[in-house]
Amino acid sequence: MNYKTLLVLFLFVGLFSCKKNSDKKVLYLGHTLPQTHPVHKGIVEFQKALAKKSNGTLTIKIFPDGQLGSEREVVELLQIGSVAITKVSAATMSNFVPDYHVFGIPYLFRDKQHMFDVLEGDVGKSVLEKGEKFWLRGLCYYDAGSRSFYTSTKAVRTPEDLQGLKIRVMNNQMAINMVNSLGGSATPMSYGELYTAIQQGVVDGAENNPPSFVSSNHYEISKYYTLDEHSAVPDVLLIGTKQWNKLSEKEKVWVQEAASESAQAQKRFWKESVDECMEIVKKAGVEIIIPEKSLFADKSKSVLEEFEKEHPELSETVKAIKSH
């Protein structure tokens, strides 16, 4: 069922996402990930926590696996109020709320702890709130790991090794600039086409986190995985303001508390998944390379410089993150 057909179904049969049955309400939550994914497991914790806090009066029905459409399509359903909640990448959110662009800057965070301190502090909360004027209220961030390069024919140990390599990236200008700044040839391409593209030599590699590297089976056709960890773009749990405003003050507190608790559980699920996936990669014979990250960070500084020229209004946010 395509997006337009689905939307018509929502509008004409009345399947609205905040559904009352006497004193009970059901919030519909759609996302694109499989049920085995650590982010889905975090969402299930959100579902459990909210049911417990509300004593069953406010519950969540989850539609995983892209049942309600792509990330962008579900965000648009939130904006019109047909779905209450979703999980999207901050990269997707940057198409709706410009402030989220900041999180795509390479080597923005010094390490995982710095990232969590920023996201759960004043800067992160401020960005979540910026979405309200676009009818999207951020509830919390989920860990989506760090993206690193994997290649099929040539090991990448320094930025110079990327010279001449075609690296698949998301159709995102910052990702394109990042790979090009390091000397590679950024090649935007649909994720669904990537396995065949690597297999046939259309591209030499790509970049992603360990769970995605494994779930896509790209580790089967990639000999090298270079853990340069050039970007750490978080996921965002969102609620549409049209549905948020229908909740009572008590219900809003329950939703926010349940979301924040689920974020802490999701961190554990993510770490467990990364550890498990790295074992799978090693057993498959993929060479794991731990490079000198500063070499990559230094060479990609031009991306930040270009970003601040294009988005001077966000330079203070970048400074706040760097100085945190």
Side-chain angles (χ1 to χ4, degrees), residues 9-276:
L9 180 63
F10 268 87
L11 294 176
F12 283 90
V13 303
L15 185 58
F16 289 94
S17 60
C18 190
K19 186 177 178 181
K20 290 187 178 182
N21 180 8
S22 64
D23 293 329
K24 294 185 178 181
K25 295 179 183 176
V26 180
L27 301 175
Y28 290 95
L29 186 160
H31 69 81
T32 61
L33 298 169
Q35 296 178 57
T36 54
H37 198 282
V39 169
H40 176 80
K41 293 178 181 178
I43 289 170
V44 171
E45 289 300 309
F46 175 45
Q47 180 188 49
K48 291 177 181 176
L50 183 57
K52 184 175 181 180
K53 289 177 184 295
S54 68
N55 197 28
T57 60
L58 184 60
T59 59
I60 292 171
K61 182 171 177 58
I62 303 171
F63 295 85
D65 297 305
Q67 292 177 44
L68 303 186
S70 67
E71 283 200 338
R72 185 182 183 97
E73 289 167 347
V74 180
V75 171
E76 290 170 350
L77 289 174
L78 259 67
Q79 289 179 310
I80 64 173
S82 293
V83 172
I85 304 170
T86 190
K87 185 291 307 173
V88 297
S89 168
T92 299
M93 276 303 292
S94 67
N95 296 313
F96 296 87
V97 186
D99 298 72
Y100 282 94
H101 278 296
V102 169
F103 297 132
I105 296 170
Y107 299 103
L108 177 68
F109 302 115
R110 293 187 295 275
D111 51 36
K112 185 76 80 174
Q113 188 57 54
H114 178 223
M115 181 183 78
F116 289 139
D117 288 345
V118 168
L119 296 179
E120 295 169 3
D122 292 341
V123 173
K125 291 175 183 176
S126 173
V127 175
L128 290 177
E129 292 169 0
K130 292 286 176 62
E132 291 209 15
K133 62 183 177 182
F134 302 97
W135 309 286
L136 301 165
R137 179 186 176 86
L139 293 171
C140 67
Y141 298 95
Y142 283 159
D143 189 359
S146 299
R147 300 176 77 93
S148 294
F149 293 111
Y150 52 89
T151 49
S152 58
T153 58
K154 179 184 176 182
V156 174
R157 304 181 193 280
T158 68
E160 287 68 33
D161 293 325
L162 283 165
Q163 289 285 345
L165 295 185
K166 290 177 288 184
I167 303 296
R168 179 268 176 185
V169 294
M170 296 179 288
N171 192 13
N172 173 283
Q173 194 58 51
M174 194 175 297
I176 293 169
N177 292 347
M178 184 270 299
V179 169
N180 289 340
S181 73
L182 293 172
S185 178
T187 308
M189 177 183 293
S190 165
Y191 193 61
E193 299 172 2
L194 184 52
Y195 187 100
T196 302
I198 295 174
Q199 194 174 42
Q200 296 180 351
V202 175
V203 294
D204 301 294
E207 42 89 54
N208 219 320
N209 56 56
S212 296
F213 185 40
V214 170
S215 64
S216 63
N217 295 320
H218 293 168
Y219 73 97
E220 298 174 348
I221 50 175
S222 302
K223 296 180 182 179
Y224 309 99
Y225 195 20
T226 304
L227 300 182
D228 65 298
E229 299 183 326
H230 47 260
S231 66
V233 180
D235 280 340
V236 187
L237 191 66
L238 300 169
I239 185 167
T241 57
K242 289 184 182 296
Q243 293 299 338
W244 175 258
N245 293 334
K246 292 179 181 178
L247 301 176
S248 69
E249 291 306 308
K250 182 181 289 186
E251 289 169 337
K252 289 177 180 177
V253 170
W254 290 338
V255 169
Q256 184 59 67
E257 287 181 350
S260 298
E261 289 173 16
S262 74
Q264 300 309 310
Q266 191 270 337
K267 288 181 193 177
R268 297 193 298 273
F269 296 139
W270 186 269
K271 185 179 184 306
E272 290 168 3
S273 178
V274 168
D275 292 344
E276 184 180 306

